[in-house]
Amino acid sequence: MGIRPSVGRTGVCWDDAMVESLFGALKNELVHRTVFPSREHARRTIVRYIEIFYNRKRLHSGLGYKTPAEV
């Protein structure tokens, strides 16, 4: 599937920076602002946020203010 494991040493965060950015945005923009009535509702809402908003609509400064889908 083309997935490579982390190869960084302890305390070196460069290989995790992109996923940490995603998790930070997810928490700040969605999770901490939403009350989920069930675990399943939370799962569906988070998947929708990532697949529709984060990857296709949200502009990312690290990508030259483009979406991941555009890059």
Side-chain angles (χ1 to χ4, degrees):
M1 299 190 80
I3 299 173
R4 296 186 346 219
S6 173
V7 294
R9 299 180 317 274
T10 301
V12 178
C13 62
W14 303 115
D15 57 340
D16 296 331
M18 292 180 74
V19 75
E20 291 294 332
S21 177
L22 165 63
F23 288 147
L26 176 64
K27 288 185 213 177
N28 288 325
E29 296 175 1
L30 179 69
V31 174
H32 294 305
R33 298 170 186 233
T34 307
V35 176
F36 300 105
S38 69
R39 185 181 207 102
E40 181 59 25
H41 184 267
R43 188 192 68 75
R44 283 193 315 266
T45 303
I46 290 169
V47 167
R48 192 176 310 118
Y49 170 87
I50 293 170
E51 292 296 327
I52 296 173
F53 177 70
Y54 192 85
N55 286 339
R56 298 180 192 170
K57 297 180 182 178
R58 186 177 188 276
L59 303 179
H60 298 258
S61 61
L63 301 175
Y65 293 97
K66 295 180 182 176
T67 68
E70 290 174 315
V71 174

